[in-house]
């Protein structure tokens, strides 16, 4: 998000966009967390994980059109609104999958994987931005879609 926001800010010339798009993603995450945490959702965390992953991946499509700043801010809210529910469901799934006495290590692996994914996404977006706004916007969408594919591929391993 940071590289994409900086790129859109350079392209459309509002310097404030580089800071407000990541903030909009975070604000969307807070809103999503409030909606997700407000009630008990039916089904196991694995189902919530898939649903939040679909929303997270779909949310990135709003940024594919090289949007003007106001639309870019709204576009950053969309994937953000699924981010906290996605992480909550991921941690719930890890809790169910972890062997007795290994929850801390399992949670650490989840955090490490998220960090590696963010670093890889930032690096790839930094390379893609030279080719234009569409390739830069495709990187987070591709990452989210790839994660969704992996989740669907190995969904049978998650506890129901």
């Amino acid at each position: 998000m940071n590289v994409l926001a900086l790129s859109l800010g350079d392209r459309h010339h509002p310097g404030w966009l580089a800071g407000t798009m990541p903030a909009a993603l975070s604000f969307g995450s807070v809103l999503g967390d409030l909606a997700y945490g407000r009630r008990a959702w039916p089904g196991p965390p694995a189902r919530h994980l898939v649903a939040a992953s679909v929303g997270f991946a779909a949310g990135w499509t709003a940024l594919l059109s090289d949007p003007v700043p106001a639309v870019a801010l709204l576009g950053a809210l969309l994937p953000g609104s699924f981010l906290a529910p996605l992480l909550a469901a991921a941690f719930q799934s890890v809790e169910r999958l972890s062997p007795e006495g290994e929850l801390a290590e399992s949670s650490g692996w989840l955090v490490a994987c998220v960090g590696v994914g963010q670093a890889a996404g930032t690096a790839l977006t930094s390379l893609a931005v030279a080719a234009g706004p569409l390739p830069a916007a495709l990187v987070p969408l591709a990452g989210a879609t790839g994660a969704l594919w992996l989740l669907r591929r190995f969904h049978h391993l998650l506890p129901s």
Side-chain angles (χ1 to χ4, degrees):
M1 176 59 74
N2 293 340
V3 175
L4 182 58
L6 185 59
S7 171
L8 288 173
D10 284 347
R11 186 168 171 78
H12 295 289
H13 305 294
W16 51 264
L17 197 58
T20 54
M21 277 184 71
L25 180 82
S26 296
F27 184 66
S29 184
V30 169
L31 295 177
D33 187 47
L34 290 173
Y36 184 69
R38 188 168 176 89
R39 69 182 197 95
W41 295 89
R47 186 180 305 156
H48 302 179
L49 187 59
V50 171
S53 295
V54 168
F56 184 69
W60 289 101
T61 60
L63 297 171
L64 292 177
S65 64
D66 188 23
V68 296
V71 175
L73 285 178
L74 291 175
L77 279 171
L78 292 174
S81 65
F82 291 96
L83 183 57
L86 175 64
L87 290 172
F91 276 103
Q92 289 173 354
S93 296
V94 163
E95 182 178 359
R96 288 185 172 197
L97 287 169
S98 296
E100 183 73 30
E102 295 184 22
L103 179 59
E105 182 180 355
S106 299
S107 297
W109 276 105
L110 178 58
V111 170
C113 288
V114 169
V116 167
Q118 289 174 325
T122 299
L124 289 172
T125 304
S126 296
L127 295 172
V129 78
L134 180 61
L138 282 171
V139 172
L141 175 60
T145 303
L148 178 59
W149 178 84
L150 285 170
L151 180 59
R152 296 296 293 173
R153 172 72 176 85
F154 297 104
H155 185 262
H156 65 282
L157 298 175
L158 296 174
S160 52

